[in-house]
Amino acid sequence: MLLNVNELSLSLKRAGKYSKILDQISFQVEEGETVGIVGESGCGKSMTALSLMRLLPEKALLEGEVNFQGEKISGYSKRKLEKIRGNQVSMIFQDPLTSLNPLHTVGTQIEESLLLHTKMTKKERRKRVLQLLNDVGLPRAEDLIDEYPHQLSGGMRQRIMIAIAMACEPQLLICDEPTTALDVTVQAQILELMNKIKKETQMGIIMITHDMGVVAEVCDRVIVMYAGKIVEEGPVLEIFQNPKHPYTQGLLDSIPKLGQRKEKLGSIPGTVPAPENMVVGCRFADRCSHAMDICRTVHPPMIGIKENHQTACWLYEEGDEKDGSIGSHKLEAALH
Amino acid sequence: MRMDALKFVGKRLLLMIPILIGISILTFAISNTIPGDPARLILGPKATPEGLEALREDMGLNDPLYVQYGRYMGGIFQGDLGQSTYSQKPVSADLIRYSPATFELTLFAMVITVLIGIPLGIISASKKDKIADQITRIFALIGVAMPAFWLGLLLLLLFYLKLGVFPGSGRLDSGMSPPTYITGMYTVDALLTGNWPVFKAAVMHLVLPGITLAAITIGMITRMTRSSMLEVLKSDYIRTAHAKGAPENRVLYGHALRNGVMPVITLLGMAFGHALGGSVLVESVFSWPGLGRYAVNAITYLDFPAVMGVTLLIAILFILVNLIVDTLYFFIDPRLKHN
Ligand SMILES: Nc1ncnc2c1ncn2[C@@H]1O[C@H](COP(=O)(O)OP(=O)(O)OP(=O)(O)O)[C@@H](O)[C@H]1O
Ligand SMILES: [Mg+2]
């Protein structure tokens, strides 16, 4: 197992007091596997990603365990963690313009990872940078090396971010909404590149997104998050064909089907509750059309529906194979 | 790119002309609305009305203002800034004589501003809310809030009168003769001619007025550096640097510093102007024979040509320094280079 996250909880200071942003998150990532983390804005997807490498805002309280390749890295000192960051575990962020240093050339920024983690000579580093630019599909690498981020398009910048992340051939790549800030056509190109990289390496990938289409495109397994908790988890096909949690079903209903106008999309009424007013029971109960009394008083435990498919919802019992199937047209729709 | 920079500088130099004309009109108008009669001041209390009238006519004070202004501006283009009524010498000669002392003091103040203000701001930002930050912030606040003349008097009292470690007036020890004239700035000239005793004395004399003049600008620069660094440290590319595995110091000095110092450079241009203006007070406190003291004398003697001359010179310097600052951006910010 590549990554094993065990009961990870995170509290951040907001308006003078601590509130829980992540509540007992547990999940695994295998080598070569791409795991999607989906959920609406504010569900804690980014915080989950940042917690793994402890790239958190100041005054963050982190509990639980993160094991990477059998090592408990959650206990590592900062210095020890720096040796893993960018080397064995890389990250790609949402906005490629603000994520690149405006005063450093593209070449310098890609080279930095090599400088920090390898013993390559200057010449070897340059060769590797050129090769990386080539790998991420950027032409005229020789010129590009001396250019600055503001001279490039959004798609090119994101390719640069990917090149930076891939520089040291990491075992785990964490992508936080890598396509959200890009136009639709560029999104497709970046996803294609991700799929190519996925095929060529044995890297584990965590793909954070709020777009079920992206999940269908690149992921093997999905984790659905709601308000700082995991509510459902399973293989992509299973989740698309047989979603259990009403929240997952709601998310799937918001995928545009072929020929359907965007405004007609079903969307879940209401919004994600703020971390400071979390309820005791199921956090989704207020927005759920199936909510029962128990939902508001006791939080549902995670139960296994099938092998690999789990959900936290009082509508189901262990091994329950009741319907809820919405049909495979969802997956097809998402893939378009 | 070279061409771009040249074009940029040329444009800015052309822009200086209307600004300077505006400033000259303004000072001319103000100095002529101040009640007071230069002729009476020159001739003293025993002057006869006929004598006064004749002198006024002679000095052109009876002409309409725009005629006087036109005459003044006409003179400027021939390098003639008029005659100082107080020193009885051409204003241009006075300016040449007194400005090196002021440049030296102002430059010294700017050097300590940069050497102290920027590092303090960085420390303050990187140790946010810790004790080092608190202390720095208090000092920066005091520096900004304390009136310069008061600080000057305090420093004089403590370091000159009480401890006697620094001299309290003038540019050199009494009896010491200035170094060979090259730039007129004693420290520079002494350094160039290898005159160590004079160099040491000149630096010692600079310390107290320099600190007094720099107190405000150090405070300004420290606060600006701190807030700018804090802003930068929150940005996404700093998170990227951490995600790459860069250690704390590399993130701070390799990634944050250059970005964080950018807005500080603009403020340095402003601070320079502030220090030039502040020299008027500080030079009076420390009997520093520069433009500031010359200007104060000129004002008390209603010596309008001298006041005009000093004002215009300071305005030109201020604009030039800001032009240099803007040109500097052209070379350090790649985003400007390619637009
Ligand atoms: N620096 C911070 N300090 C305090 N709270 C924060 C901070 N950053 C985020 N939060 C809170 O943490 C919660 C989770 O935020 P997070 O950014 O992980 O959401 P997300 O699922 O990534 O959403 P998005 O799709 O908008 O990126 C939100 O309620 C947010 O308000
Ligand atoms: Mg996010």
Side-chain angles (χ1 to χ4, degrees), chain A residues 45-314:
Chain A
K45 306 180 299 288
S46 296
M47 286 303 146
T48 305
L50 295 171
S51 296
L52 301 180
M53 284 292 105
R54 269 192 269 149
L55 292 166
L56 293 164
E58 43 187 324
K59 300 198 178 136
L61 287 181
L62 196 59
E63 291 160 88
E65 262 181 39
V66 180
N67 294 289
F68 175 68
Q69 294 184 319
E71 295 264 339
K72 191 182 150 203
I73 60 168
S74 46
Y76 273 18
S77 68
K78 212 171 156 195
R79 183 155 305 167
K80 235 172 144 186
L81 209 55
E82 278 161 4
K83 296 226 158 58
I84 296 182
R85 290 180 187 161
N87 188 16
Q88 284 148 294
V89 182
S90 287
M91 294 189 75
I92 298 171
F93 301 104
Q94 175 169 340
D95 188 341
L97 178 60
T98 56
S99 298
L100 290 167
N101 191 325
L103 301 185
H104 292 183
T105 60
V106 164
T108 320
Q109 303 199 47
I110 302 176
E111 192 187 357
E112 186 172 22
S113 307
L114 302 170
L115 197 72
L116 287 165
H117 302 294
T118 69
K119 292 196 171 71
M120 286 186 192
T121 62
K122 202 171 169 177
K123 223 167 152 190
E124 290 168 332
R125 288 199 301 266
R126 187 183 161 88
K127 208 171 137 216
R128 173 81 179 132
V129 170
L130 290 173
Q131 187 210 330
L132 280 162
L133 285 171
N134 217 29
D135 288 351
V136 296
L138 286 169
R140 8 171 245 107
E142 293 271 354
D143 301 328
L144 216 52
I145 247 180
D146 295 318
E147 282 176 19
Y148 290 90
H150 73 272
Q151 293 169 277
L152 312 176
S153 69
M156 288 168 91
R157 287 179 202 137
Q158 197 57 293
R159 284 173 197 265
I160 301 288
M161 282 302 290
I162 296 174
I164 292 174
M166 299 305 298
C168 298
E169 302 180 326
Q171 282 91 50
L172 178 65
L173 179 65
I174 305 171
C175 310
D176 189 356
E177 313 216 21
T179 57
T180 309
L182 308 172
D183 328 332
V184 186
T185 44
V186 183
Q187 278 187 17
Q189 293 165 4
I190 295 289
L191 287 180
E192 200 178 306
L193 173 64
M194 298 293 310
N195 268 330
K196 178 185 145 230
I197 291 172
K198 207 182 126 174
K199 263 194 224 113
E200 289 168 358
T201 63
Q202 261 306 78
M203 213 167 42
I205 300 177
I206 296 177
M207 175 64 73
I208 292 173
T209 177
H210 54 247
D211 183 347
M212 278 299 201
V214 173
V215 172
E217 207 84 42
V218 297
C219 297
D220 304 317
R221 217 147 51 74
V222 202
I223 292 167
V224 182
M225 275 187 81
Y226 185 75
K229 265 191 159 321
I230 294 179
V231 297
E232 187 158 7
E233 184 185 341
V236 171
L237 209 66
E238 172 76 12
I239 295 289
F240 273 87
Q241 289 179 340
N242 191 15
K244 291 296 183 192
H245 201 285
Y247 180 61
T248 315
Q249 294 173 357
L251 283 180
L252 286 166
D253 273 337
S254 56
I255 304 172
K257 295 189 192 72
L258 265 187
Q260 191 182 22
R261 297 270 300 278
K262 243 208 156 120
E263 310 86 76
K264 289 239 187 104
L265 282 184
S267 65
I268 315 162
T271 50
V272 186
E276 43 272 357
N277 25 17
M278 271 319 161
V279 291
V280 272
C282 174
R283 293 168 181 188
F284 187 61
D286 279 343
R287 299 170 71 187
C288 181
S289 53
H290 308 287
M292 305 171 285
D293 286 344
I294 189 169
C295 300
R296 301 188 195 279
T297 46
V298 187
H299 195 279
M302 201 70 170
I303 56 159
I305 298 290
K306 251 191 204 175
E307 206 201 337
N308 290 337
H309 186 180
Q310 307 170 49
T311 190
C313 178
W314 286 119

Side-chain angles (χ1 to χ4, degrees), chain B residues 265-306:
Chain B
I265 295 173
T266 305
L267 192 66
L268 269 178
M270 295 293 179
F272 183 85
H274 200 281
L276 269 180
S279 66
V280 172
L281 268 175
V282 174
E283 288 181 5
S284 299
V285 173
F286 290 92
S287 316
W288 191 264
L291 283 180
R293 239 179 32 148
Y294 177 65
V296 168
N297 283 335
I299 291 166
T300 37
Y301 286 93
L302 299 178
D303 184 352
F304 296 143

Side-chain angles (χ1 to χ4, degrees), chain B residues 224-237:
Chain B
M224 181 72 178
T225 308
R226 178 181 186 272
S227 68
S228 165
M229 285 296 282
L230 284 178
E231 196 54 46
V232 165
L233 285 172
K234 269 192 278 182
S235 56
D236 287 351
Y237 56 84

Side-chain angles (χ1 to χ4, degrees), chain B residues 206-241:
Chain B
L206 272 170
V207 172
L208 294 185
I211 291 176
T212 308
L213 194 54
I216 292 183
T217 50
I218 290 175
M220 277 162 56
I221 296 296
T222 305
R223 284 152 59 114
M224 181 72 178
T225 308
R226 178 181 186 272
S227 68
S228 165
M229 285 296 282
L230 284 178
E231 196 54 46
V232 165
L233 285 172
K234 269 192 278 182
S235 56
D236 287 351
Y237 56 84
I238 294 300
R239 187 184 56 194
T240 305

Side-chain angles (χ1 to χ4, degrees), chain B residues 79-139:
Chain B
D80 176 13
L81 292 167
Q83 188 85 6
S84 163
T85 49
Y86 164 64
S87 73
Q88 301 287 329
K89 290 198 189 93
V91 171
S92 49
D94 281 349
L95 292 185
I96 289 171
R97 177 160 166 224
Y98 292 113
S99 48
T102 298
F103 293 166
E104 184 171 42
L105 180 58
T106 312
L107 286 176
F108 183 78
M110 290 320 289
V111 169
I112 52 180
T113 296
V114 170
L115 290 186
I116 297 175
I118 292 181
L120 273 187
I122 296 171
I123 293 170
S124 200
S126 68
K127 302 264 182 277
K128 182 170 176 266
D129 295 332
K130 306 234 170 74
I131 193 89
D133 179 33
Q134 308 285 16
I135 294 173
T136 309
R137 287 170 70 187
I138 291 170
F139 269 102

